[in-house]
Amino acid sequence: MPLPIGPKVDPTPRPLPARVPIRGQYASLEPLHRRHAAELWRSAQGADETWTYLGAGPFASAEAMARQVMDLAATHDPMLWAVRPVTTGVVAGWLALMDIQPKNASIEIGNIWFSPGLQRTRAATEAMFLLLKLAADDLGYRRMVWKCNALNAPSKRAAERLGFTYEGRHRMHMIVKGRQRDTDWYSLVGEEWPPCRDALLAWLDPSNFAADGTALRGLADLRSQRA
């Protein structure tokens, strides 16, 4: 009796993402550049806790942050975009596509830093949606990954809100800022993406928001109707 093997898939390597601007309703994603450093520095003031689970920051000076921005802007993996919300016109965060594996059709969304003013906004949700859509729909990646410090409860909630599935924990996975880190892994794969995409589009639709800006329906509710 033959041993079990996995299903056949299209083995064509997926394209690498291009460093180009991406425009949405509520936010524009701009390839990270040194010119963003001053706006990012202003957005980071009084927000030291937002760097707790990241590999860098908080920064002692505008110059220190500018050096980090220039280092990140010079890499192709991770490839970073700055987030410019339409409401303010001021860059207030960044996020990346990383661990890009064209032959495995696998890609990670991560290295996310959102200032307090960007967190929990339509622009923040759309920024993540735009990169997921780029990866899955435009480039054809089958596996999208989310990893975070196992202690980072907000990041874990964000992954689950977007529709990622928890896969497990890599214990003693990394040392970050001199501290041990366990890493929780999440994924969004194959046919799981279309209902998540459609729910995100429905959530982002202006008709889903009351006059005060409150969402009328949550992502989990919208996704359950499309499963």
Side-chain angles (χ1 to χ4, degrees), residues 122 209-214 216:
R122 280 180 257 185
F209 295 91
D212 65 357
T214 303
L216 300 176

Side-chain angles (χ1 to χ4, degrees), residues 3-195:
L3 294 172
I5 54 176
K8 286 187 176 181
V9 296
D10 176 6
T12 306
R14 276 22 184 184
L16 292 168
R19 195 184 293 276
V20 296
I22 307 171
R23 299 191 180 279
Q25 299 180 79
Y26 308 112
S28 291
L29 304 187
E30 302 173 6
L32 190 67
H33 190 275
R34 62 189 300 174
R35 66 174 173 271
H36 295 124
E39 289 176 279
L40 288 164
W41 170 251
R42 290 195 295 272
S43 295
Q45 296 312 293
D48 284 2
E49 284 194 356
T50 60
W51 303 98
T52 299
Y53 297 112
L54 292 176
F59 302 97
S61 66
E63 292 74 19
M65 187 168 205
R67 287 194 296 272
Q68 177 69 14
V69 169
M70 287 187 285
D71 284 347
L72 292 172
T75 67
H76 288 276
D77 187 355
M79 182 176 289
L80 283 96
W81 282 263
V83 183
R84 188 182 299 277
V86 170
T87 54
T88 64
V90 177
V91 170
W94 67 52
L95 73 172
L97 291 176
M98 54 198 292
D99 192 15
I100 304 165
Q101 302 181 32
K103 290 185 177 181
N104 295 319
S106 175
I107 198 165
E108 178 183 348
I109 180 171
N111 204 342
I112 299 172
W113 177 75
F114 289 166
S115 70
L118 178 57
Q119 293 173 9
R120 302 178 67 83
T121 65
R122 280 180 257 185
T125 295
E126 186 179 52
M128 295 181 286
F129 166 71
L130 290 172
L131 284 196
L132 291 171
K133 183 178 182 299
L134 170 66
D137 291 343
D138 301 341
L139 302 179
Y141 284 79
R142 290 190 301 269
R143 171 177 167 83
M144 293 179 287
V145 176
W146 182 291
K147 300 200 302 280
C148 62
N149 189 309
L151 299 175
N152 189 347
S155 183
K156 294 195 285 187
R157 286 195 298 269
E160 292 163 0
R161 175 176 176 264
L162 292 169
F164 282 78
T165 296
Y166 179 66
E167 291 188 330
R169 179 168 297 174
H170 284 202
R171 298 179 298 165
M172 295 188 177
H173 177 223
M174 302 172 68
I175 296 173
V176 180
K177 296 176 180 174
R179 294 182 180 274
Q180 192 71 57
R181 166 177 151 164
D182 294 347
T183 298
D184 281 355
W185 287 61
Y186 296 79
S187 66
L188 181 53
V189 300
E191 293 306 310
E192 295 171 359
W193 166 243

